[in-house]
Amino acid sequence: MLKWDKFQVSNAAGEIALLCGLIMWITSLRRIRRKIFELFFYSHHLYILFVIFYVVHVGFNDAYVLLPGFYLFLIDRYLRLLQSQQKVRMVSARILPCAAIELNFSKSPWLSYAPRSIAFVNVPSISKLQWHPFTITSNTNLDPENLSIVIKCEGNWSRKLYQLMSSPSAPDRHEVSVEGPYSHSSTSFLRHNMLVMVSGGSGITPFISIIREILFLANKTTHMTPKILLICTFKKSIDLTMLDLLLPVSGTTLDISHVKLEIEAYITREKELKTENHKLKIIWFKPDKSDVPMSAVLGPNSWLWLGAVISASFIIFLLLIGILTQFYIYPIDHNTNVTYPTPSKSALNMLFICLSVVMTASAAFLWNRKQSAKKMKQIQIMDIPIPGTYPGSAFHGDDRELESLPYKSLLQTTRVHLGERPNLRKILSECKEDSVGVLVSGPRMMRQEVATICSSGSADHLHFESNSFSW
């Protein structure tokens, strides 16, 4: 078991790789992954040791089965590393009284992404190591120069962020790094005649970008947009302020009445609507010369550049191992009585893969960064009020001038049910359209209940799709 053979299969290296794999598998179990996210996240960096010792275990020639997937992953991971070194300009923060916060970042107009995309966020003032994934609530068409995410206080990291942003002595600038966005694979919701969106708590966030997308299409194109029924379940009435996030912080000039939208909000733990005047706060941050707008890591033609990086780096890798074999390994194997050690050969091959990826990806990244800097106007340093009070929540009893705001349309389409849960079977059975897309985001029991209803024999027109925060 402890044998480390230089020319055959190395048992010890295989055991180390197996141990790393077992640790990653154990920390992937739902209870550990959901309750101790940091342990799950950090332990998965053992994939580096796993791959290294696996290649040493079997030899590089037999490890070629891993090469295509691992090669593409290595390029993507290095590009993410380059992107994460940039400090993104944070424009504003919208602080909700329900312990949720919306962060708004500046982005380049040519950065596009699909609804329900995600981004990884790092705030060094809280933790330099922790990266957390969040759903993007903004929409490329409706918010061409801004990208927003919503964070609900449900852990130590998010609570520290909320306290930092809501503090009266909060700084007027925060360093933030972002990786992504990573687009959702499906935009098939537009093919349905009707959309039923069922959410629980913060599960409403993936649907915000969809509603904004349909709002844009309904006002700007002749495309037939689906009717929307949003069923959202909250524990307390103060959580109704999450519905304010359906529209961007800067508002919109689009006519919401063009969207056939109905909102059914259920408050499960209160039988009376508490209408205290909870104020929303919006904080504007001062820009800094070192901050940059979010942009695609390889510029507007990312796919073309990515193909060039993959092709060029692989050609360089083949040239390097060809030179190594011809002028170094081959003479030793054939001109002496000593066979070149397999672990050393594997290590050199892995080194050349890393060198080829780093050289080509860095060159492409720096070139596109230089071109993007020329296109983007220099960020103007201006004094913006900090922090300010937002006019309050349209859904929680405030005195804003609703007649002049699109929130009036949202209020008119919203019905609040107190002290009850939605009867999902009855609601879905009353949807008589030919094609109904049923999107669910929330607790596992809720997703399973809706899936059971949609899979029944009498629900052929219901098309189920689940959105789960399964990190």
Side-chain angles (χ1 to χ4, degrees):
M1 289 181 64
L2 300 178
K3 184 179 179 180
W4 192 292
D5 199 301
K6 292 184 178 180
F7 308 106
Q8 301 297 327
V9 172
S10 174
N11 294 337
E15 290 152 7
I16 295 174
L18 177 61
L19 179 62
C20 295
L22 289 174
I23 294 174
M24 289 189 288
W25 171 69
I26 291 172
T27 56
S28 295
L29 297 176
R30 178 180 176 83
R31 181 170 296 182
I32 298 177
R33 186 184 72 244
R34 297 301 301 268
K35 299 296 183 180
I36 317 175
F37 177 83
E38 287 79 9
L39 177 62
F40 157 76
F41 183 76
Y42 295 136
S43 64
H44 272 64
H45 288 80
L46 289 174
Y47 75 86
I48 300 173
L49 295 179
F50 174 83
V51 172
I52 291 175
F53 284 103
Y54 170 80
V55 173
V56 174
H57 172 58
V58 301
F60 193 81
N61 292 337
D62 292 330
Y64 270 119
V65 66
L66 282 182
L67 186 59
F70 180 72
Y71 199 87
L72 295 177
F73 170 79
L74 187 63
I75 292 175
D76 176 73
R77 190 64 192 89
Y78 183 68
L79 290 174
R80 286 177 59 184
L81 177 65
L82 293 175
Q83 186 185 29
S84 67
Q85 302 307 305
Q86 301 181 99
K87 303 304 177 184
V88 176
R89 180 191 173 191
M90 189 157 59
V91 180
S92 64
R94 183 160 43 164
I95 301 174
L96 306 182
C98 62
I101 183 170
E102 179 192 61
L103 301 181
N104 296 280
F105 304 98
S106 172
K107 80 172 187 70
S108 59
W110 54 82
L111 174 63
S112 60
Y113 47 88
R116 295 180 289 175
S117 298
I118 65 167
F120 285 81
V121 178
N122 171 261
V123 183
S125 58
I126 299 177
S127 173
K128 294 182 179 180
L129 297 178
Q130 292 189 40
W131 289 81
H132 292 269
F134 296 102
T135 305
I136 298 175
T137 55
S138 56
N139 179 266
T140 300
N141 296 315
L142 201 61
D143 312 293
E145 296 182 355
N146 289 284
L147 182 145
S148 61
I149 61 172
V150 174
I151 301 172
K152 194 78 165 64
C153 291
E154 295 180 352
N156 293 332
W157 186 90
S158 55
R159 278 193 290 268
K160 290 179 181 178
L161 179 66
Y162 186 84
Q163 292 170 1
L164 178 64
M165 295 293 178
S166 59
S167 173
S169 58
D172 56 9
R173 177 182 174 271
H174 295 274
E175 286 191 356
V176 180
S177 297
V178 180
E179 287 183 1
Y182 296 95
S183 294
H184 194 276
S185 59
S186 174
T187 55
S188 59
F189 53 85
L190 292 174
R191 65 185 174 90
H192 300 294
N193 303 116
M194 180 179 181
L195 289 179
V196 179
M197 303 179 185
V198 184
S199 69
S202 58
I204 192 176
T205 52
F207 301 147
I208 295 176
S209 58
I210 295 179
I211 293 175
R212 293 186 185 183
E213 174 74 7
I214 295 176
L215 172 62
F216 173 83
L217 294 175
N219 280 266
K220 297 298 183 181
T221 68
T222 57
H223 188 278
M224 292 295 294
T225 55
K227 177 183 176 182
I228 302 175
L229 173 59
L230 175 61
I231 304 170
C232 45
T233 305
F234 301 110
K235 294 179 180 179
K236 299 179 180 180
S237 57
I238 194 173
D239 294 327
L240 286 172
T241 53
M242 291 286 290
L243 297 176
D244 280 283
L245 302 176
L246 293 176
L247 295 177
V249 64
S250 57
T252 178
T253 58
L254 301 180
D255 191 351
I256 299 179
S257 62
H258 289 179
V259 180
K260 300 175 183 178
L261 173 65
E262 295 181 19
I263 302 176
E264 300 286 342
Y266 291 82
I267 309 299
T268 59
R269 296 187 180 180
E270 294 179 356
K271 295 185 178 181
E272 294 183 2
L273 185 62
K274 298 180 180 180
T275 59
E276 295 92 343
N277 190 13
H278 292 279
K279 293 292 184 180
L280 282 73
K281 289 177 61 178
I282 180 170
I283 301 175
W284 298 94
F285 300 106
K286 290 185 177 180
D288 189 85
K289 291 182 179 180
S290 61
D291 295 340
V292 296
M294 283 188 62
S295 59
V297 66
L298 292 178
N301 298 316
S302 295
W303 289 108
L304 183 61
W305 277 100
L306 183 59
V309 168
I310 295 171
S311 304
S313 61
F314 195 70
I315 291 173
I316 293 174
F317 165 64
L318 293 178
L319 290 174
L320 289 175
I321 62 172
I323 295 172
L324 173 71
T325 303
Q326 180 66 28
F327 296 104
Y328 182 61
I329 297 178
Y330 185 83
I332 294 177
D333 285 344
H334 291 267
N335 296 332
T336 66
N337 294 325
V338 179
T339 303
Y340 197 83
T342 300
S344 300
K345 186 188 300 184
S346 300
L348 288 172
N349 279 271
M350 289 187 287
L351 176 62
F352 287 161
I353 286 180
C354 295
L355 286 176
S356 60
V357 168
V358 168
M359 288 189 298
T360 52
S362 297
F365 173 78
L366 293 174
W367 172 263
N368 280 284
R369 183 179 177 182
K370 182 179 179 181
Q371 297 301 315
S372 297
K374 292 180 180 179
K375 294 179 182 180
M376 293 297 298
K377 296 180 180 179
Q378 184 177 6
I379 298 176
Q380 298 179 352
I381 308 299
M382 60 184 69
D383 292 326
I384 303 176
I386 358 175
T389 300
Y390 197 59
S393 170
F395 298 92
H396 221 264
D398 80 86
D399 54 358
R400 71 163 71 192
E401 293 294 334
L402 291 174
E403 290 77 8
S404 61
L405 295 173
Y407 288 96
K408 180 180 179 181
S409 298
L410 290 180
L411 280 173
Q412 292 174 343
T413 59
T414 302
R415 293 177 56 194
V416 179
H417 306 265
L418 297 170
E420 61 178 299
R421 297 181 180 274
N423 187 339
L424 296 175
R425 183 174 295 276
K426 178 183 178 182
I427 294 173
L428 293 175
S429 65
E430 293 175 351
C431 299
K432 302 301 182 182
E433 282 73 6
D434 295 335
S435 177
V436 180
V438 183
L439 282 67
V440 187
S441 177
R444 182 172 56 176
M445 294 298 294
M446 174 184 286
R447 301 197 306 269
Q448 291 176 346
E449 179 185 358
V450 177
T452 302
I453 297 172
C454 294
S455 61
S456 62
S458 60
D460 294 337
H461 64 300
L462 300 179
H463 304 276
F464 174 78
E465 183 174 347
S466 174
N467 291 268
S468 63
F469 303 101
S470 57
W471 297 99

